[in-house]
Amino acid sequence: MTTADAAHPRFAEALRALGLDELTARVRRFPDATRTAEEAAAAVGCELSQICKSLIFAADGVPVLVLMDGASRVDLELVRRELGAAKVTRAKAEVVRETTGYAIGGVPPFGHRTRTRVLADRSLLGHDLVWAAGNPHAVFPIAPKDLVAHADATLVDVREHTA
């Protein structure tokens, strides 16, 4: 498989549409799945916080994408307040696939089947480069500010803080 083939076809098309063709050549495919942030960080050889998780939640039943660093958890109450929603829950697997066109563990930050609201946690900006999913076996590097811009994300503080 060539590097260009490492990206999911829909994701590769999204990169082209965003003018990010050069990222296609930087997608790294691994023989083992990189579905979790831990698996992706181990495969890439980077810090866990340099992995960008793409997580789908349901805010009053409407899907929303949250981009979070791999070492942190999303605080659903902070997401609820940010969106002005009555209730925020993790989206069910079928909703994730229907909304994005990808399975949980392989959702890229853009190139989804449908347009969703995107929130990006400010913690991602603590790195010069982060790695995001291209599919369940592939990741790609991108500058966090470029990730936020191309995902059309709103910068927020929705990271869970442990006492």
Side-chain angles (χ1 to χ4, degrees), residues 3-38:
T3 304
D5 294 332
H8 185 287
R10 182 180 305 108
F11 182 65
E13 178 54 38
L15 290 176
R16 281 190 289 283
L18 290 167
L20 297 172
D21 286 345
E22 77 281 358
L23 278 184
T24 304
R26 297 178 68 198
V27 172
R28 290 182 52 192
R29 183 169 175 77
F30 301 98
D32 296 320
T34 54
R35 283 190 163 93
T36 68
E38 291 83 3

Side-chain angles (χ1 to χ4, degrees), residues 39-149:
E39 290 170 344
V44 171
C46 70
E47 293 177 29
L48 186 56
S49 62
Q50 286 180 275
I51 298 299
C52 173
K53 299 187 286 193
S54 297
L55 306 167
I56 301 289
F57 295 92
D60 294 337
V62 178
V64 60
L65 172 65
V66 177
L67 303 176
M68 176 61 70
D69 79 80
S72 300
R73 294 175 51 95
V74 174
D75 184 321
L76 295 182
E77 175 60 17
L78 293 177
V79 172
R80 187 195 68 72
R81 280 190 234 150
E82 185 66 43
L83 297 173
K87 183 178 181 183
V88 174
T89 59
R90 278 199 172 272
K92 295 185 185 306
E94 60 270 13
V95 171
V96 173
R97 187 176 287 281
E98 180 182 300
T99 301
T100 67
Y102 302 92
I104 290 173
V107 177
F110 35 76
H112 300 170
R113 180 178 286 154
T114 61
R115 181 96 172 101
T116 57
R117 184 158 180 196
V118 182
L119 303 178
D121 190 78
R122 210 172 300 280
S123 62
L124 292 166
L125 299 178
H127 298 284
D128 294 331
L129 193 72
V130 294
W131 294 84
N135 70 44
H137 290 269
V139 294
F140 68 95
I142 188 167
K145 63 180 179 24
D146 294 338
L147 173 71
V148 170

Side-chain angles (χ1 to χ4, degrees), residues 145-162:
K145 63 180 179 24
D146 294 338
L147 173 71
V148 170
H150 291 299
D152 196 22
T154 302
L155 269 177
V156 294
D157 294 302
V158 293
R159 181 170 42 145
E160 188 177 87
H161 294 280
T162 55

